[in-house]
Amino acid sequence: MAARWIEKVTGPLDEKKRYRQYRERTRQLPANYRTAVEAIHRYLMYLGPGGDGAEAQTMLEDLVELFEQSAANNTPIREVVGADPVEFIEAFVANYPDGQWRLKERDRLNKAIARAAGEDSVDD
């Protein structure tokens, strides 16, 4: 019973284990790739990756896998993320359906402003 209570408060143990494995994989990357992954991770945590814990964890695991493969192939970081890292993140997150809450919120904001501005052609 205590174990279920602890998991309810702190989160499932499996998710924590996966997260620790993700962090260890990140630490194993070459310095410049590790710096890129950590910067993207930080951005995602402030932005909010969306979805439940499992979906967010899968996204982080896929991110580190992408950079592991890029490091193994000596692919330059700019070839991975492109000229605009924010555009890369938006495209990356779009691959995870539960992360689409941002798009819904943007749409909701646009509709609310249009209604407030008296634009009648806005659909709900």
Side-chain angles (χ1 to χ4, degrees):
M1 185 165 141
R4 281 189 278 168
W5 180 82
I6 291 170
E7 278 194 23
K8 189 170 191 164
V9 172
T10 62
L13 296 177
D14 185 52
E15 286 182 30
K16 287 183 176 187
K17 182 178 179 180
R18 287 176 63 194
Y19 183 76
R20 283 192 297 271
Q21 290 171 342
Y22 153 76
R23 294 301 289 174
E24 182 57 33
R25 289 172 67 188
T26 300
R27 281 191 283 280
Q28 298 299 319
L29 289 170
N32 56 339
Y33 292 88
R34 181 177 55 246
T35 300
V37 169
E38 289 171 350
I40 292 168
H41 178 124
R42 179 184 166 103
Y43 182 83
L44 284 171
M45 292 303 106
Y46 278 103
L47 186 66
D52 61 11
E55 177 82 9
Q57 185 60 43
T58 299
M59 183 179 359
L60 291 174
E61 290 166 348
D62 291 348
L63 176 68
V64 77
E65 184 174 340
L66 172 65
F67 277 86
E68 286 171 337
Q69 291 173 359
S70 299
N73 295 330
N74 291 321
T75 304
I77 292 171
R78 279 293 178 188
E79 283 188 32
V80 177
V81 300
D84 185 359
V86 174
E87 187 177 307
F88 166 79
I89 295 289
E90 293 296 324
F92 184 79
V93 171
N95 291 307
Y96 301 88
D98 288 343
Q100 297 302 312
W101 65 269
R102 276 187 224 95
L103 299 176
K104 292 176 188 173
E105 289 303 318
R106 286 179 189 162
D107 189 47
R108 184 179 290 161
L109 173 64
N110 285 329
K111 288 178 180 178
I113 297 299
R115 278 193 308 273
E119 299 166 3
D120 297 327
S121 64
V122 177
D123 296 325
D124 284 316

